[in-house]
Amino acid sequence: MKMKKLFPAMLALLLLVSVGLVGCSSSDKSKGGSSSKGDVVVDIFQFKVEFKDQFKAVAKKYEDEHKGVKINITSVGGGEDYGAALKSKFASGNEPTIYNVGGPQDVKDWETKLADLSDTKAASVALDGTLDGVKKGNEVLGLPYNQEGYGFIYNTKVFEKAGINPKDITSFAKLQDAVKTLDNKKKELGLKGVFALPGKETWVTGLHLSNTFLSPEFNGNVIDTFNAKKVDFKYGDAFKNVLDLENKYSVQPTVSLDYSQQVEELFSTGKVAMIQQGNWVYSSIAGIDQDLADNGIGLLPIPVEGFKEDAIPVGVPMYWAVNKNKDKKEVEEAKKFLDWLYTSDAGKEAVINDFKFIPAYDGFDASKISDPLAKAVYQYAQDGKTIPWVFMGYPTGWGQEKLGVDIQKYLSGEISWDELVKDSKTAWESSRK
Amino acid sequence: MKKRNLWYWLFLAPTLIALAIVVILPLIYGVYYSFTNWNGIENPQFIGFENYINLFKDQEFLESLWFTVKFTVVSVFLINFFGLALALIVTQKMKTSNLLRTIFFMPNLIGGLILGFIWQFIFLKVFSGIGELLGIESLQGWLSTSTTGFWALAILMSWQMAGYIMVIYISYLESVPQELLEAAEIDGANSFQRFMHITFPLVAPAFTVSLFLTLSNSFKLYDQNLSLTGGGPFHSTQMVAMEIYKTAFTENAMAYAQSKAVIFFIIVAAISLTQVYVNKKREVEM
């Protein structure tokens, strides 16, 4: 009788223990499990969700051409989430082979896990300056994804109707005139505002906009920025003027306006004439109005008074990094894959046509770039009318959590511009002590 | 408890092991990490109490703590007030009371993130739409000032949790003996007196439970905070949980964030335990 009751209990216990044991043993296996088939597995953990399907397709093609290599792609997107996810990924012990780093700060943080890529073909054809942020002595610790640029994206039809020729807008004064004209004709143009300034997105104000005006101060060099003990806001007045202009003529309230409202709700439907964004918004706009995306948008410079008034900021958003703690074969395969992606004909084809990247490497046929924003960015780069990106060299969290937040305070009238400048300077200095 | 033999411990073992692995060990690890300078990537080094000293000078942390306290006071009051009110409504003899119970409880079934986005739409679009229509300036631009952001969070929280707390109150309200109420009625007590002197003391245990739940939930709020205001504008509606997350992941200060989390844990535990102790003492035995 007693046995009858005991039996189910014993069984349950046995099950529990066996589940526990299986759990242990399987995790032991996973380290070398994949190599049992003779395949080298390259795990990629990357941040750009916009092109993940295309990327997977290209990886599949690579697998077909190169037997014995398997490529796993995981995409986690959107700024800060990627950093958090990457750290969790490493902490879990399940380290990826290829991952992304953003610039000098990331390189410093991840230094012990970055393989030297200077012997890759891709590194040798990377465009001048694109490797600055990831160089350490003679070592190249990352390979650029692509180039991106931002400025004021405008609606060509609205400009036409208002009788403004975008080609004339080459200085702050002319931009101001154009904005005033647009504002006066707001009703007949069907606009809710001239701009849509997304104050909620601290990366738009605290990183992108500020970069335009801080870059010249640091000679457009991300390493100089990274090493700078202080920031002077040398072009602070120009910065204030542009921010004020955007804010004054924007759909209100700006502090709670976010990216999707700015790009999808307001700009893509023609309710505002201009937004400060980059070539990455092309697909968002195309998703709503293909015709507008293909034939109705252009890119205007962000004028920096006293420096360049007709240039746009262009830079590399992220770099590919290879984990040097993985076994040699895997590291080699990872390098080969990146080389193939940026230097082989098939890879290059995919980078331009499928990914719609603006290449950061020599040897691409730029005439194949199809979307108008990417074309405009490329054109500015050709003409030398660019301002380099330096915001990856800001102290950790400074751009978004400090300056961006202070800009929100400034926009809602909590603090004055002078206080903003003072506050941001102090924060920079104290984190660079 | 009688004799605790081997079987007793054997059956308890799975739970104890699970508890140790997912709660106790991480807690101990966490406390250890809070004394280091770990940035989430490199190996940690022991630095003693430095993190704890710094966090009491950390303006942002203190501000978010103060905001959380204010928010908790307001939402504990609102949730319990509405929870009890709803419970009183649906325990009346009405035909629709079952339907109403379901409706009031429903917000609880929606995840916090989604709820936040839904209310974001309501505050931004519906409120400003009504404001435009009626010409009421103050309805426009909710979530863009710190005051309205605060109330937006409080409204969202009470809307979601009142129905849940209602269920707890219902169960106690329904166990109040009818004879007592009838006796009081015969003695000439009006309905307000009956509620204050009979129902209210008898549902006191419900207050203990509800206050504990609302208090700890409001303190720990994260997902609604993230999706509704994202801490904005200018971090003014940033609650402690979110501040800790940001310290850990956007400022790469894992150990520092951990020390904040330890302090946060101590505060929540202290307040909740005190509250339960005080409430327990006031409960009346039937």
Side-chain angles (χ1 to χ4, degrees):
Chain A
M1 196 59 198
K2 223 181 180 186
M3 279 308 281
K4 233 182 187 174
K5 264 186 198 165
L6 272 181
F7 184 68
M10 293 283 276
L11 194 74
L13 207 76
L14 209 77
L15 269 174
L16 209 103
V17 171
S18 59
V19 166
L21 287 178
V22 168
C24 294
S25 65
S26 70
S27 69
D28 284 343
K29 239 187 222 164
S30 68
K31 270 182 194 162
S34 44
S35 60
S36 64
K37 271 192 250 156
D39 283 354
V40 178
V41 180
V42 176
D43 279 313
I44 300 181
F45 193 73
Q46 67 96 26
F47 91 109
K48 227 180 197 335
V49 285
E50 297 90 338
F51 83 128
K52 64 174 194 232
D53 295 332
Q54 292 90 328
F55 193 37
K56 272 197 175 137
V58 168
K60 183 94 200 16
K61 206 166 154 194
Y62 184 80
E63 280 174 6
D64 291 342
E65 281 178 30
H66 301 75
K67 293 291 174 212
V69 182
K70 210 176 153 353
I71 293 174
N72 285 332
I73 298 172
T74 315
S75 307
V76 172
E80 61 184 327
D81 297 333
Y82 177 75
L86 185 65
K87 265 173 241 153
S88 323
K89 188 101 178 145
F90 270 90
S92 75
N94 202 357
E95 303 189 2
T97 326
I98 298 180
Y99 58 101
N100 300 145
V101 291
Q105 184 63 49
D106 274 3
V107 168
K108 200 179 162 207
D109 288 347
W110 294 96
E111 213 181 319
T112 52
K113 299 174 194 300
L114 293 172
D116 181 13
L117 304 175
S118 53
D119 56 344
T120 54
K121 242 191 279 171
S124 63
V125 292
L127 292 183
D128 275 352
T130 52
L131 293 175
D132 284 352
V134 288
K135 261 192 183 153
K136 205 160 180 274
N138 286 326
E139 288 185 328
V140 174
L141 301 173
L143 294 172
Y145 253 82
N146 61 345
Q147 296 193 84
E148 287 183 343
Y150 58 85
F152 291 121
I153 295 173
Y154 65 93
N155 187 322
T156 48
K157 283 181 193 121
V158 171
F159 269 54
E160 233 166 76
K161 250 194 223 164
I164 302 167
N165 184 359
K167 286 209 172 66
D168 294 342
I169 304 175
T170 48
S171 68
F172 179 73
K174 282 175 185 160
L175 178 69
Q176 212 172 11
D177 289 344
V179 169
K180 278 180 186 150
T181 317
L182 286 165
D183 191 58
N184 287 334
K185 297 181 180 171
K186 228 159 75 173
K187 276 235 169 73
E188 54 188 284
L189 296 169
L191 298 177
K192 268 180 91 176
V194 180
F195 288 104
L197 172 66
K200 193 177 179 189
E201 309 291 354
T202 46
W203 56 273
V204 174
T205 52
L207 294 182
H208 285 176
L209 189 60
S210 73
N211 173 79
T212 320
F213 303 95
L214 294 183
S215 179
E217 186 176 326
F218 299 113
N219 310 317
N221 186 317
V222 69
I223 295 293
D224 284 0
T225 316
F226 184 61
N227 293 329
K229 291 267 174 276
K230 62 191 183 77
V231 59
D232 284 332
F233 281 86
K234 205 171 148 196
Y235 297 93
D237 290 337
F239 187 1
K240 180 178 184 291
N241 287 344
V242 171
L243 183 66
D244 284 346
L245 186 74
E246 274 195 76
N247 186 39
K248 190 177 170 195
Y249 296 100
S250 167
V251 176
Q252 298 290 340
T254 49
V255 264
S256 60
L257 198 84
D258 63 18
Y259 176 77
S260 79
Q261 275 178 290
Q262 179 201 24
V263 177
E264 286 156 15
E265 209 182 300
L266 294 168
F267 185 77
S268 299
T269 55
K271 287 193 186 115
V272 295
M274 262 190 273
I275 52 171
Q276 180 213 318
Q277 273 305 343
N279 59 291
W280 52 85
V281 300
Y282 168 80
S283 49
S284 301
I285 299 173
I288 290 167
D289 190 339
Q290 186 74 48
D291 182 52
L292 177 71
D294 287 332
N295 309 311
I297 47 180
L299 195 62
L300 284 176
I302 303 180
V304 183
E305 288 165 288
F307 183 63
K308 288 182 182 175
E309 302 203 23
D310 57 349
I312 64 163
V314 174
V316 175
M318 272 294 209
Y319 294 87
W320 298 106
V322 175
N323 185 352
K324 77 169 167 197
N325 298 343
K326 288 280 177 179
D327 62 75
K328 242 187 174 157
K329 239 164 95 191
E330 231 177 288
V331 171
E332 280 314 307
E333 280 308 329
K335 285 185 187 173
K336 268 188 214 157
F337 172 68
L338 292 175
D339 263 348
W340 176 84
L341 189 61
Y342 289 111
T343 56
S344 78
D345 287 340
K348 283 199 267 190
E349 182 88 9
V351 166
I352 284 218
N353 290 339
D354 300 342
F355 301 175
K356 307 231 181 273
F357 278 180
I358 306 167
Y361 298 91
D362 270 332
F364 277 84
D365 183 4
S367 65
K368 282 186 181 157
I369 300 175
S370 58
D371 86 69
L373 293 178
K375 240 185 218 162
V377 172
Y378 190 78
Q379 193 55 48
Y380 275 105
Q382 290 284 296
D383 300 344
K385 291 178 180 168
T386 59
I387 295 170
W389 288 11
V390 298
F391 58 79
M392 277 91 151
Y394 291 174
T396 310
W398 183 82
Q400 282 189 266
E401 298 299 316
K402 195 70 219 172
L403 181 60
V405 165
D406 274 350
I407 288 176
Q408 286 183 339
K409 284 187 193 165
Y410 171 70
L411 292 179
S412 28
E414 293 270 317
I415 55 171
S416 70
W417 180 259
D418 290 337
E419 282 170 299
L420 177 148
V421 170
K422 211 177 122 216
D423 200 33
S424 309
K425 274 183 181 170
T426 333
W428 182 297
E429 279 160 36
S430 73
S431 54
R432 281 287 156 83
K433 251 188 221 146
Chain B
M1 185 98 317
K2 277 179 278 171
K3 218 173 69 193
R4 293 182 172 175
N5 57 13
L6 181 69
W7 285 110
Y8 173 83
W9 290 110
L10 213 55
F11 278 108
L12 205 57
T15 319
L16 284 182
I17 292 169
L19 191 74
I21 292 174
V22 296
V23 178
I24 297 169
L25 270 182
L27 189 68
I28 296 169
Y29 258 105
V31 174
Y32 160 69
Y33 274 123
S34 71
F35 291 106
T36 67
N37 64 351
W38 193 45
N39 68 353
I41 305 162
E42 284 151 29
N43 289 330
Q45 275 166 349
F46 196 80
I47 53 163
F49 281 95
E50 202 183 305
N51 285 334
Y52 288 95
I53 296 164
N54 285 341
L55 77 84
F56 285 107
K57 288 181 279 184
D58 189 331
Q59 204 57 38
E60 216 181 304
F61 178 65
L62 296 178
E63 265 167 29
S64 69
L65 200 61
W66 175 232
F67 179 82
T68 312
V69 170
K70 280 195 292 185
F71 169 78
T72 307
V73 170
V74 170
S75 47
V76 164
F77 175 76
L78 285 179
I79 294 168
N80 282 286
F81 179 80
F82 284 112
L84 185 59
L86 292 178
L88 285 171
I89 292 170
V90 297
T91 47
Q92 304 303 312
K93 290 181 189 70
M94 290 186 302
K95 272 186 185 159
T96 51
S97 72
N98 274 335
L99 179 73
L100 285 178
R101 283 180 200 199
T102 319
I103 292 173
F104 292 148
F105 186 72
M106 239 174 326
N108 249 291
L109 305 175
I110 311 172
L113 272 179
I114 299 169
L115 210 63
F117 286 123
I118 294 172
W119 274 91
Q120 193 182 52
F121 171 78
I122 295 175
F123 286 126
L124 290 179
K125 298 280 135 69
V126 179
F127 270 45
S128 74
I130 294 172
E132 232 164 88
L133 214 67
L134 301 177
I136 306 170
E137 190 97 351
S138 60
L139 279 180
Q140 282 165 17
W142 271 61
L143 307 184
S144 62
T145 71
S146 40
T147 335
T148 48
F150 172 82
W151 286 105
L153 272 172
I155 291 171
L156 163 66
M157 186 67 180
S158 15
W159 184 77
Q160 185 184 18
M161 263 200 93
Y164 184 72
I165 296 306
M166 170 194 78
V167 175
I168 296 169
Y169 282 122
I170 289 174
S171 65
Y172 281 90
L173 280 173
E174 289 191 330
S175 66
V176 172
Q178 290 300 308
E179 306 90 68
L180 281 180
L181 291 172
E182 272 170 35
E185 201 176 353
I186 292 164
D187 286 346
N190 63 27
S191 60
F192 179 74
Q193 282 169 326
R194 265 178 285 150
F195 177 76
M196 279 314 287
H197 297 290
I198 296 171
T199 314
F200 199 74
L202 283 174
V203 295
F207 275 100
T208 315
V209 180
S210 315
L211 280 180
F212 174 75
L213 282 175
T214 46
L215 200 69
S216 56
N217 275 351
S218 311
F219 247 104
K220 294 182 305 186
L221 194 73
Y222 177 74
D223 35 6
Q224 285 89 335
N225 191 198
L226 179 75
S227 57
L228 187 68
T229 63
F234 46 86
H235 290 176
S236 63
T237 62
Q238 181 169 266
M239 295 179 60
V240 181
M242 195 171 186
E243 213 275 325
I244 292 173
Y245 175 85
K246 280 212 170 139
T247 314
F249 288 105
T250 58
E251 286 162 38
N252 274 354
M254 292 280 172
Y256 183 42
Q258 186 60 48
S259 68
K260 288 179 179 176
V262 169
I263 293 291
F264 184 40
F265 167 74
I266 292 171
I267 293 173
V268 176
I271 293 179
S272 308
L273 291 178
T274 320
Q275 173 262 321
V276 171
Y277 176 76
V278 171
N279 273 85
K280 275 271 184 211
K281 268 176 101 178
R282 297 180 40 141
E283 284 173 16
V284 287
E285 289 287 329
M286 277 269 293

